[in-house]
Amino acid sequence: MTVTEIFDTMDYGPAPESAAEALAWLVDQGDRFGHFIDGAFTAPGTGFDSRNPATGEVLATLTQASETEVNAAAAAARRAQGKWERLGGPGRARHLYAIARLLQKHARLFAVLETLDNGKPIRESRDIDVPLAQRHFYYHAGMAQLMETELPDARAIGVCGQIIPWNFPLLMLAWKIAPALAMGNTVVLKPAEYTSLTALLFADICRQAGLPKGVVNIVTGDGAVGEMIVTHPGIDKIAFTGSTEVGRKIRAATAGSGKALTLELGGKSPYIVFDDADLDSAVEGLVDAIWFNAGQVCCAGSRLLVHEPVAERFHAKLRARMDKLRVGDPLDKCIDVGAVVDPVQHAAITDMVAGNTEGAVHHANVTLPERGCFYPPTLITGLSPSDRLMQEEIFGPVLVSTTFRTPGEAVQLANNTCYGLAASVWTENVNLALDIAPKLAAGVVWVNATNLFDAAAGFGGVRESGFGREGGWEGLSAYTRPKARPKALAPMPPFPAGDGAPADPLDRTAKLYVGGKQARPDGGYSRAVWSKSGALLGHVPLANRKDLRNAVEAAQAASGWARTSGHLRAQILYYLAENLSARGDEFAHRIDTLTGKRGGEKEVQAAIQRLFTAAAWADKYDGQVHGVPIRGVALAMKEPVGIIGTLCADEAPLLGLVAVMAPAIAMGNRVVLAASEPFPLAATDFYQVLETSDVPAGVVNILTGSHAELAAPLASHLGVDAVWSFSSTDLSGEIERASAGNLKRCWVNNGQATDWTAPDLRPFLEAATEVKNIWVPYGE
């Protein structure tokens, strides 16, 4: 073939990577593996085969963990945890650094084994997965070193159960194990059934690094093993990456257990191309967005939204590029798209595409290998936003597309999904890009780029893509808890009915406060509120589901509050504090009368201080610019969660309401507050302050009634984005179970008391915000 002919065809010759070293390592282990528990491998037992998806050949036989082995792993982790935490941040940093160095020394072995086990091209495992895994251990070695000075009030959670998927076996392991160990936790990790080999190689690395026994434990098996970890009473925290369906089950299974939980779930990420974009670059970006790892990426840009003026031209360029993709042996360094992980996943992709009757389907004109789990890169255009393939995650090399006319329509289409993991925006207009990015319901937004990751920038989603972040400073909260140990909170019932005369001879009718107005309860029922001495203090309405619905609708109508400036929100909070102070004596007397104690004046002053502190934070609780290794920046923007429903503290009728309301609205949220159940009249007095303090209608809504009756409707309401519960009635389990429907964020007290006099609002500010990382590359 002449040079001219080579340039005409641009054919690539094969460039195979040798698998000899990886296969030799498997042989050295006897091609059979037990579990890694308490620093040693157990004897292999009854199990299952791990196969190369590109050939179908058996690589090794793994052991299916039993309950006995999961118990042993959890017990080993528990024994090791205290000593590991007491080693201190610098001591843990040395171990993490040693692991990172060993990952570098054995980088090629990890890359080849990953490709054999998973089917992804060697270029991806060599150049992306393994270097990023190393980066996470280096980065979190630094976090461990800094923990004692930068996080002085934080301690480890304890034993962490971690369940990872098959699409990024080593990288997901690093994302979870590195921060857990850095913060002083120990780990029981279950790799995916299909792809456990690099986790077992990592276990060998842990031994070489001298990691203390029991700090890392790895058990293999199917979903039943994951279920044992999730429900194990000796595990304090669950971190799961996988499907939304399984995430819901885990949320329900852990409800009421007190286990910390982070979920990184599915996605249907939009890839938005405007008419002024560099179309050729956008096409190349799509290759990385959807055909990287054969589309088996939770944040894959699987939903293409193209500006109508350029749609036909863009699709033509895309089809031409697709036909030049190289599909084949993943160990060939010239291959673009490797194998799908397993015949089961291949069949699921095939069935979803075959079941689609809408739009035009283009399969790339490529030759597939005769054996193995290979699926051709596919584009389906002309779909409607409601079509199944536009809404459901395919998790394969399949791209679906529709068009838009205006930037506003692009945002509507992008957000028209239950997911919210990632998004890509392509435009040469930086003003347009930075206008669109904050409007997208996604935890990560890439501008003129896609699939950029780094340990310094947190990754995670909103909506049904899960909650919590992995990486960055924000990721550490998932593996730490406050050093202060809370006390048990006793249930606080209302005072019993008495026979005394009314405390106020002129009856004042308390109502609900919904949409900036006082409202009668839908059910028409009220209950009497009695003092400790038996005097009748008044009556409060009993809110029901319809009242809750009305309050949520009022909060939805006040969505513009999130777009106001922090300065404006601060001014309103200062004004609230001023007006509350003017009526301080009245509120103090009311609290003393309600509670039968003499702490009303202190509670009022504390509430005023909370309003001032929240006002101070309103324009100062800033994001960050992460130092990521690109020519550009990753902007960590703190955004409001949305609508927060709260069961307020019973023991502090005014402070317990103000302390949750103030930081929530300071960050731009709207709230639905269920007032103190035994002492609700302080809340019904407080809405008079709200009415005179320029708080926009719907930003704050106050209900009174039974916490037990409001908890489940509040937690299951699809219009509520987060639920907080500080009630003395422990409703934590019920709230967490009901929240699984749309995976809303929960902050519950698990029957433990909250110190309402603590001046630090940062735990409330953190719970009231989501971190969105916006990646903005720059330069020519």
Side-chain angles (χ1 to χ4, degrees):
M1 181 178 287
T2 67
V3 173
T4 301
E5 289 171 334
I6 291 174
F7 275 103
D8 284 341
T9 62
M10 291 299 288
D11 285 339
Y12 284 74
E17 173 77 29
S18 172
E21 291 294 326
L23 295 175
W25 181 80
L26 292 172
V27 171
D28 289 345
Q29 312 304 312
D31 290 328
R32 295 180 62 84
F33 291 87
H35 313 289
F36 185 70
I37 298 174
D38 205 18
F41 281 101
T42 65
T46 303
F48 53 96
D49 292 335
S50 180
R51 296 178 180 270
N52 182 344
T55 64
E57 295 171 351
V58 175
L59 296 170
T61 300
L62 308 179
T63 301
Q64 172 73 18
S66 66
E67 185 175 359
T68 299
E69 289 159 325
V70 172
N71 288 341
R78 179 64 64 193
R79 287 193 301 271
Q81 196 273 319
K83 186 176 180 181
W84 175 247
E85 186 173 12
R86 289 191 297 273
L87 187 61
R92 296 193 298 271
R94 293 191 189 96
H95 286 285
L96 290 167
Y97 176 77
I99 290 172
R101 290 289 290 161
L102 284 166
L103 284 172
Q104 282 186 314
K105 293 175 183 178
H106 298 288
R108 203 69 162 197
L109 175 60
F110 272 103
V112 174
L113 189 62
E114 192 82 317
T115 289
L116 287 172
D117 203 23
N118 172 273
K120 66 177 62 189
I122 184 66
R123 289 189 302 119
E124 294 178 7
S125 55
R126 180 195 66 195
D127 299 341
I128 300 173
D129 293 35
V130 175
L132 268 175
Q134 298 162 4
R135 163 74 171 144
H136 271 268
F137 279 98
Y138 276 124
Y139 179 85
H140 285 97
M143 286 298 197
Q145 186 76 25
L146 297 175
M147 181 182 179
E148 292 169 10
T149 56
E150 300 304 310
L151 300 170
D153 297 323
R155 62 184 172 100
I157 289 178
V159 176
C160 299
Q162 302 180 325
I163 303 167
I164 59 175
W166 41 258
N167 54 342
F168 293 94
L170 180 66
L171 183 55
M172 293 295 101
L173 175 150
W175 279 22
K176 288 184 166 47
I177 287 183
L181 267 55
M183 297 295 103
N185 303 279
T186 53
V187 166
V188 177
L189 179 133
K190 189 197 90 68
E193 180 182 4
Y194 298 147
T195 54
S196 301
L197 295 183
T198 48
L200 296 169
L201 176 57
F202 177 81
D204 200 19
I205 291 296
C206 289
R207 292 196 301 187
Q208 295 179 39
L211 195 69
K213 294 179 179 180
V215 172
V216 169
N217 304 272
I218 296 173
V219 291
T220 56
D222 58 16
V225 180
E227 186 175 357
M228 291 180 218
I229 291 173
V230 167
T231 57
H232 198 286
I235 291 177
D236 305 302
K237 183 232 169 24
I238 299 297
F240 172 78
T241 296
S243 72
T244 297
E245 178 185 1
V246 176
R248 285 196 185 93
K249 293 178 180 178
I250 292 174
R251 168 73 286 176
T254 58
S257 66
K259 283 184 170 72
L261 178 64
T262 49
L263 299 173
E264 197 263 280
L265 307 176
K268 194 70 177 176
S269 300
Y271 190 99
I272 307 169
V273 180
F274 285 97
D275 60 355
D276 66 343
D278 180 338
L279 299 187
D280 292 323
S281 294
V283 166
E284 288 306 310
L286 259 178
V287 172
D288 288 334
I290 185 60
W291 294 303
F292 169 57
N293 199 21
Q296 300 166 117
V297 184
C298 53
C299 57
S302 57
R303 205 159 39 106
L304 173 61
L305 311 177
V306 189
H307 212 165
E308 271 192 14
V310 296
E312 186 174 343
R313 185 154 54 100
F314 185 80
H315 286 144
K317 286 176 175 284
L318 181 57
R319 292 188 189 97
R321 181 66 178 90
M322 289 171 62
D323 292 343
K324 290 182 172 60
L325 290 172
R326 299 176 297 278
V327 181
D329 178 9
L331 281 174
D332 186 340
K333 291 185 280 289
C334 294
I335 289 300
D336 297 310
V337 183
V340 173
V341 72
D342 189 83
V344 172
Q345 181 63 17
H346 187 276
I349 297 166
T350 303
D351 291 346
M352 286 191 74
V353 175
N356 174 66
T357 59
E358 306 297 325
V361 180
H362 175 74
H363 294 296
N365 183 22
V366 296
T367 301
L368 300 181
E370 294 181 359
R371 63 173 181 164
C373 299
F374 294 92
Y375 193 90
T378 300
L379 169 66
I380 306 176
T381 56
L383 293 180
S384 300
S386 60
D387 286 334
R388 181 192 178 200
L389 295 189
M390 289 289 288
Q391 293 293 326
E392 295 185 18
E393 189 176 31
I394 301 171
F395 223 65
V398 180
L399 176 67
V400 297
S401 180
T402 192
T403 61
F404 64 88
R405 294 182 179 179
T406 66
E409 185 183 9
V411 171
Q412 288 182 328
L413 290 171
N415 292 341
N416 183 30
T417 173
C418 63
Y419 298 111
L421 190 52
S424 294
V425 178
W426 290 79
T427 173
E428 291 298 286
N429 183 344
V430 68
N431 292 319
L432 178 61
L434 296 181
D435 176 55
I436 295 295
K439 297 176 182 177
L440 298 175
V444 181
V445 179
W446 297 294
V447 175
N448 293 335
T450 189
N451 281 341
L452 298 177
F453 308 101
D454 187 65
F459 181 86
V462 297
R463 294 180 172 178
E464 293 183 27
S465 288
F467 45 80
R469 294 292 181 267
E470 295 185 291
W473 286 98
E474 57 265 38
L476 299 183
S477 63
Y479 290 100
T480 56
R481 65 176 65 188
K483 280 185 177 178
R485 300 182 185 273
K487 300 177 181 178
L489 179 62
M492 185 170 291
F495 291 129
D499 55 5
D504 191 338
L506 181 63
D507 179 58
R508 291 187 296 170
T509 303
K511 297 181 182 178
L512 308 176
Y513 186 66
V514 176
K517 299 177 182 178
Q518 298 180 38
R520 296 185 185 279
D522 172 80
Y525 287 97
S526 298
R527 77 165 179 86
V529 179
W530 301 89
S531 73
K532 188 175 182 179
S533 62
L536 179 63
L537 301 180
H539 293 81
V540 292
L542 296 177
N544 63 17
R545 286 175 176 266
K546 289 186 177 180
D547 298 310
L548 174 60
R549 177 202 64 191
N550 294 340
V552 173
E553 289 178 354
Q556 289 171 328
S559 60
W561 179 249
R563 296 188 293 274
T564 59
S565 69
H567 173 70
L568 175 62
R569 296 194 295 269
Q571 297 307 299
I572 291 175
L573 285 162
Y574 283 130
Y575 194 23
L576 263 172
E578 178 185 335
N579 288 337
L580 177 60
S581 179
R583 296 177 58 182
D585 292 343
E586 175 190 340
F587 273 91
H589 176 70
R590 171 70 93 176
I591 292 167
D592 288 344
T593 305
L594 283 168
T595 62
K597 301 177 181 178
R598 301 187 65 83
E601 183 178 355
K602 288 184 178 179
E603 183 170 337
V604 171
Q605 292 304 313
I608 293 169
Q609 288 304 313
R610 283 298 176 100
L611 289 166
F612 270 96
T613 305
W617 274 117
D619 56 359
K620 300 176 186 65
Y621 192 61
D622 297 326
Q624 292 177 300
V625 178
H626 289 310
V628 292
I630 64 167
R631 277 193 73 196
V633 293
L635 307 174
M637 311 294 290
K638 291 180 177 175
E639 299 183 337
V641 170
I643 297 175
I644 300 175
T646 301
L647 303 182
C648 297
D650 290 328
E651 67 275 20
L654 178 65
L655 179 57
L657 182 144
V658 169
V660 295
M661 177 208 75
I665 68 173
M667 295 297 101
N669 300 282
R670 293 91 72 202
V671 293
V672 177
L673 306 169
S676 166
E677 186 173 346
F679 312 129
L681 291 174
T684 60
D685 289 349
F686 184 72
Y687 66 58
Q688 299 166 7
V689 178
L690 293 170
E691 288 176 320
T692 59
S693 302
D694 296 339
V695 178
V699 171
V700 178
N701 305 272
I702 298 175
L703 306 179
T704 54
S706 167
H707 285 180
E709 291 181 12
L710 291 173
L714 187 64
S716 61
H717 197 297
L718 296 180
V720 175
D721 301 295
V723 177
W724 300 351
S725 177
F726 302 99
S727 175
S728 67
T729 304
D730 187 6
L731 300 164
S732 305
E734 185 174 358
I735 288 170
E736 290 178 331
R737 275 187 293 274
S739 74
N742 69 342
L743 290 167
K744 57 174 61 69
R745 286 98 182 101
C746 294
W747 184 15
V748 295
N749 61 2
N750 291 298
Q752 296 177 326
T754 300
D755 181 4
W756 296 108
T757 63
D760 189 2
L761 279 190
R762 277 171 292 196
F764 293 89
L765 298 171
E766 182 179 332
T769 52
E770 294 278 12
V771 176
K772 173 185 286 184
N773 278 284
I774 303 175
W775 292 67
V776 187
Y778 52 70
E780 293 295 329

